[in-house]
């Protein structure tokens, strides 16, 4: 009877086809790793990174304590991975906007939407980034990456200035800091429960921020 896992080799010895099995194991391993990371986000968001334990993450993920160390060497590596993976995706999305052919004003609107709507889609990730990342010594070497959105915004403003869409007598770097700083302050207010952060609030913040900055960037009438 023919076997689906055994095939003859040149010397007549059976050889096991491992590729499908390894592929399934790899998928399962990645799912387990993602399960642990998602659990860590919830734990760090609600208990705080510094007061939580590896055991808290394992319990939230529903895995054995020792299994977590199969994927991550420490709690520090877990939060560093959360930041690296989420932040890299965010920056890639912003750069894709900057590389599009949309007018600069529309690009700023898209950037604001992406950043502000992370609160609607991933509130716990936003909580971890806002409250934990900057004050976690284990990942201070990545703090410089926090300015990458500002660099993207500056590039958009500079292009708008070159195209005559924005006034050219303003410092694009400072304008980018003001724009991003407004977004960061809004997100911080939501994280700290200082301001409401409903879907309507997110949409209103997006409209207000873009309208205010765009008005200041528009060329003045001669």
């Amino acid at each position: 009877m023919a076997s689906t896992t055994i095939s003859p080799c040149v010397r007549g010895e059976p050889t096991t086809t491992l590729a499908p099995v390894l592929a399934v194991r790899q998928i399962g391993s990645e799912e387990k790793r993602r399960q642990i990371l998602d659990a860590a986000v919830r734990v760090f968001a609600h208990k705080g990174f510094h007061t939580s334990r590896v055991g808290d993450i394992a319990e939230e993920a529903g895995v054995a304590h020792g299994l977590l160390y199969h994927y991550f060497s420490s709690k520090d590596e877990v939060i560093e991975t959360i930041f690296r993976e989420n932040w890299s995706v965010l920056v890639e999305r912003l750069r894709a906007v900057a590389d599009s052919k949309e007018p600069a004003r529309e690009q700023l609107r898209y950037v604001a939407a992406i950043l502000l709507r992370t609160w609607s889609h991933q509130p716990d990730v936003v909580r971890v980034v806002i409250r934990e990342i900057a004050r976690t010594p284990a990942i201070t070497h990545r703090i410089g990456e926090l300015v990458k959105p500002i660099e993207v915004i500056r590039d958009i403003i500079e292009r708008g200035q070159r195209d005559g869409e924005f006034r050219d007598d303003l410092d694009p770097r400072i304008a980018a800091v003001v724009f991003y700083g407004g977004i960061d302050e809004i997100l911080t207010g939501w994280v700290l429960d200082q301001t409401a952060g409903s879907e309507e609030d997110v949409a209103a913040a997006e409209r207000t921020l873009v309208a205010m900055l765009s008005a200041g960037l528009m060329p003045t009438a001669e």
Side-chain angles (χ1 to χ4, degrees):
M1 182 175 65
S3 172
T4 57
T5 59
I6 304 296
S7 59
C9 68
V10 176
R11 296 181 181 177
E13 299 172 347
T15 178
T16 304
T17 304
L18 294 177
V21 176
L22 293 176
V24 170
R25 288 180 179 175
Q26 180 62 34
I27 293 173
S29 178
E30 178 56 33
E31 288 179 347
K32 189 65 68 175
R33 176 180 176 277
R34 175 51 50 191
Q35 181 179 338
I36 292 171
L37 286 175
D38 290 344
V41 168
R42 294 192 295 272
V43 170
F44 295 158
H46 296 282
K47 294 191 66 172
F49 172 78
H50 297 282
T51 57
S52 61
R53 301 173 295 107
V54 168
D56 296 327
I57 301 171
E59 181 178 355
E60 178 70 22
V63 302
H65 190 128
L67 182 62
L68 189 145
Y69 288 107
H70 175 73
Y71 296 94
F72 305 100
S73 62
S74 64
K75 189 176 69 167
D76 289 340
E77 185 183 356
V78 173
I79 195 169
E80 193 272 343
T81 302
I82 291 170
F83 174 72
R84 184 184 71 250
E85 294 187 358
N86 283 280
W87 201 252
S88 62
V89 170
L90 178 66
V91 173
E92 285 175 9
R93 292 182 64 195
L94 297 181
R95 292 200 185 282
V97 170
D99 292 339
S100 71
K101 302 301 182 182
E102 295 289 337
R105 187 180 190 281
E106 282 300 294
Q107 289 183 344
L108 289 180
R109 185 175 68 81
Y110 291 144
V111 165
I114 290 171
L115 291 169
L116 291 171
R117 292 178 190 179
T118 55
W119 176 252
S120 299
H121 304 313
Q122 296 178 299
D124 282 345
V125 171
V126 176
R127 289 187 178 98
V128 173
V129 171
I130 294 289
R131 289 195 312 217
E132 307 296 338
I133 296 301
R135 61 192 188 95
T136 302
I139 54 175
T140 51
H141 63 287
R142 289 192 173 274
I143 295 302
E145 297 181 29
L146 292 174
V147 303
K148 288 185 176 180
I150 298 177
E151 295 172 357
V152 174
I153 296 167
R154 183 198 61 203
D155 291 343
I156 292 173
I157 294 173
E158 287 178 342
R159 187 176 69 79
Q161 290 175 322
R162 290 194 301 270
D163 293 346
E165 188 177 347
F166 294 152
R167 52 193 293 185
D168 60 6
D169 61 330
L170 298 178
D171 186 324
R173 181 185 61 84
I174 295 177
V177 170
V178 170
F179 187 80
Y180 183 74
I183 293 174
D184 185 64
E185 192 65 25
I186 292 169
L187 289 172
T188 300
W190 293 338
V191 167
L192 300 180
D193 293 324
Q194 294 176 339
T195 55
S198 66
E199 290 285 348
E200 293 77 11
D201 295 314
V202 173
E206 178 188 332
R207 289 193 305 270
T208 302
L209 187 69
V210 174
M212 289 181 64
L213 185 69
S214 296
L217 287 170
M218 291 299 109
T220 56
E222 297 295 338

